[in-house]
Amino acid sequence: MRTEQGQGSPADPPAHHAPEDCPGAEERELLQHWHAMQSGFRRLNDRLLAEVAADTGVAASSFQVLWHLLTAPGRSAPMRELTDTLGFSTAGTTKVVDRLAQQGLVDRRPSRTDRRVVYAVLTEEGAATATAAARALAGALRRHLVAPLGPEGCAALLGALLTLEGAAADGPAA
């Protein structure tokens, strides 16, 4: 089958690759390991947060905001901090906080010193909801992380991740 330009179909492999275009066996193995780690973590995280949502009715993005506020000084944070810390877009942060405010879990309060800054503040109901969701996540972590790895395996994994986090923080951004 040919396309209009006379080339092979999109399913046909290219006719020629220079050797430098293809990773070697060692690089392929390293990339496959990275893919397994990345997809494994993503699937585990999705499963954990889905269990939290099923147990408490708190969506993943809402849980992230609630947990951040529960552990923040004064149980509040500027909207910009939420955006930066959680990796949401500004619009995404606004949408989640608006939804939490409608549910009575978060209040929005202007800064006393800078009228450009708005704080998200956890309400008492929000703190109770965040605590329940955190307990649900802790249970899911015990079942899906601690049980298969054991306490020593979890400690080793955490140590490795903290090492990588430190290395990433020290290095230049890509």
Side-chain angles (χ1 to χ4, degrees):
M1 181 166 149
R2 298 255 177 217
T3 64
E4 290 179 15
Q5 292 83 20
Q7 301 292 322
S9 74
D12 292 341
H16 180 277
H17 274 298
E20 62 272 3
D21 289 346
C22 298
E26 184 179 324
E27 289 173 324
R28 279 194 311 273
E29 182 179 15
L30 181 62
L31 294 169
Q32 288 169 343
H33 289 167
W34 170 249
H35 176 73
M37 287 186 297
Q38 179 185 8
S39 63
F41 179 78
R42 186 178 55 250
R43 284 191 312 270
L44 176 61
N45 191 56
D46 290 349
R47 182 175 188 175
L48 294 170
L49 293 176
E51 284 192 26
V52 170
D55 290 350
T56 65
V58 176
S61 58
S62 294
F63 175 71
Q64 290 177 279
V65 170
L66 293 172
W67 174 251
H68 184 81
L69 294 174
L70 185 66
T71 59
R75 293 187 170 173
S76 68
M79 293 291 289
R80 183 80 209 154
E81 179 182 312
L82 289 174
T83 297
D84 293 343
T85 302
L86 301 175
F88 297 166
S89 67
T90 301
T93 302
T94 299
K95 183 177 179 180
V96 173
V97 171
D98 285 349
R99 187 171 52 239
L100 291 170
Q102 289 172 351
Q103 296 170 348
L105 304 177
V106 171
D107 286 331
R108 289 172 165 268
R109 296 190 188 145
S111 169
R112 293 183 189 133
T113 58
D114 187 342
R115 64 187 176 138
R116 298 169 295 176
V117 177
V118 175
Y119 282 82
V121 181
L122 202 58
T123 64
E124 287 303 314
E125 185 180 352
T129 300
T131 299
R135 287 188 174 128
L137 179 58
L141 285 165
R142 283 186 198 96
R143 287 187 299 280
H144 301 293
L145 187 68
V146 177
L149 294 180
E152 297 82 16
C154 284
L157 178 60
L158 176 60
L161 291 172
L162 290 172
T163 298
L164 293 174
E165 181 181 41
D170 293 341

